[in-house]
Amino acid sequence: MRINTHYQDLEDSYLFSTIAKKVAQQSAEHPEQKIIRLGIGDVTLPLCPAVTDALHAAVDEMGNKETFHGYGPEQGYDFLREGIRGYYVQKGVVLEAGEVFISDGAKSDLGNILDLFDRDNTVLVPDPVYPVYVDTNVMAGRKILYCDATEQNGFLPPPPQEVEADIIYLCSPNNPTGAAYNREQLGAWVAYARAVGAVILYDAAYEAFIQDESLPRSIYEIEGAKQCAIEFCSLSKTAGFTGLRCGYTVVPLALCGGRLNAMWLRRQTTKFNGVPYIVQRAAAAVFTPEGLRQIEENLGYYRENARIMAQALREMGVWFTGGESSPYIFMKCPGGMDSWQYFDLLLKQAGVVGTPGEGFGKNGAGFFRLTAFGEREATKEAMARIRALHEKL
Ligand SMILES: *Cc1c(COP(=O)(O)O)cnc(C)c1O
């Protein structure tokens, strides 16, 4: 037996464990200080009533001989796939019936999709980045190139001039930077991918946070994208499904003459047995008019938090990306501080927790991520404390 030695190439991530350790130490030393957490990358508002009603009803169906459901289609029930197609129509995108695949979340699909690609492909990922894109390719031993997301390009890197990549990861609106590509910028990536024969793996987990009509919520809003892109989406951040688990992936029939769609279907029917019936009923409720109205309320709450945070930083003269079409804000640390210096200062002096940008890649150094998933009053209080701290610097 020989093990996959590529696992030894993975870098240990101490980001969140180091944060937890530092926060625990601070609370032990200063039990009187109320610590506010703006580092959370998880939703905090509960599921909306349309979703819980659908869950309850589906549970009852499962307990009744006439309406019980056993194994379902691996790629998802039609009632949900059709609901998602209807959702895309609202974005101006028409998908065909067999192009939508239901899964237990975007993270699984982003990792699993690599089954379809040869090890001998070059991968291009932006830096800073959601760590899943890098680690899943390291595990397979694939060569990874980075394109620099920087303050100069607003953390929205354009396609590279010299490099030819085969598999390209894009995430917009982005985690951790909150930056979102406009149509023209995304169009440049689509043109690049088509010119070099690459596939774009497009992570649209935060699409629902976009309100600005000029920004694309799906890569398929860009002409020619169905010939070069697979889109991953999730109900996690959109509808609070981080604990319930449901996502979907679009593999267009126009991509590689339908070959990747057929391969993904084969892969899923072989290695996956579908998402629970009750979860798919809950997910379908999100795409009803009532469900969409209700999730908008929750999204609006997070958006307002983000607006309050962005407004405060603007008034303080701090450079940042995100906050408008995203629950994330990526701010420049004041006074040339590095990410961890600022983390320590903010924790000790203000009792506010965020995430050091360098934990997401080298270009995150000197930056800091704040999230809008907190409670309103705590978010306001945190920004007041940050403001007071910056005034003292
Ligand atoms: C949260 C998140 C997801 C969603 O993952 P799930 O597995 O669906 O919960 C996907 N991509 C990014 C960048 C995320 O931050």
Side-chain angles (χ1 to χ4, degrees), residues 196-326:
V196 302
V199 64
I200 295 175
L201 304 181
Y202 191 75
D203 186 342
Y206 296 95
E207 58 82 28
F209 285 86
I210 294 175
Q211 280 190 306
D212 181 345
E213 298 273 317
S214 73
L215 299 177
R217 286 168 58 199
S218 162
I219 195 168
Y220 305 122
E221 292 180 45
I222 309 301
E223 181 84 37
K226 281 187 184 162
Q227 278 76 33
C228 67
I230 296 175
E231 182 160 290
F232 301 84
C233 207
S234 169
L235 293 175
S236 284
K237 316 298 164 36
T238 308
F241 272 53
T242 51
L244 198 55
R245 312 300 309 141
C246 193
Y248 50 94
T249 292
V250 179
V251 188
L253 290 162
L255 187 59
C256 295
R259 234 175 123 187
L260 286 178
N261 180 289
M263 283 168 70
W264 182 241
L265 180 63
R266 188 73 170 88
R267 192 265 169 214
Q268 290 298 79
T269 52
T270 303
K271 294 197 189 181
F272 183 58
N273 245 341
V275 176
Y277 173 74
I278 59 172
V279 173
Q280 293 194 60
R281 278 292 177 199
V286 170
F287 299 103
T288 61
E290 188 61 8
L292 289 172
R293 198 188 54 71
Q294 291 175 1
I295 63 162
E296 262 311 306
E297 273 174 40
N298 289 2
L299 289 167
Y301 183 90
Y302 299 136
R303 282 195 201 107
E304 177 61 10
N305 283 349
R307 195 197 59 76
I308 289 166
M309 294 159 73
Q311 177 68 21
L313 291 175
R314 230 175 267 124
E315 286 167 11
M316 288 153 60
V318 173
W319 190 91
F320 65 94
T321 50
E324 215 158 280
S325 301
S326 153

Side-chain angles (χ1 to χ4, degrees), residues 104-108 110 130 133 171 175 203 205-206 234 236-237 242 245-246 328:
D104 65 346
K107 188 178 182 176
S108 324
L110 281 160
Y130 181 56
Y133 313 151
C171 177
N175 178 13
D203 186 342
Y206 296 95
S234 169
S236 284
K237 316 298 164 36
T242 51
R245 312 300 309 141
C246 193
Y328 298 116

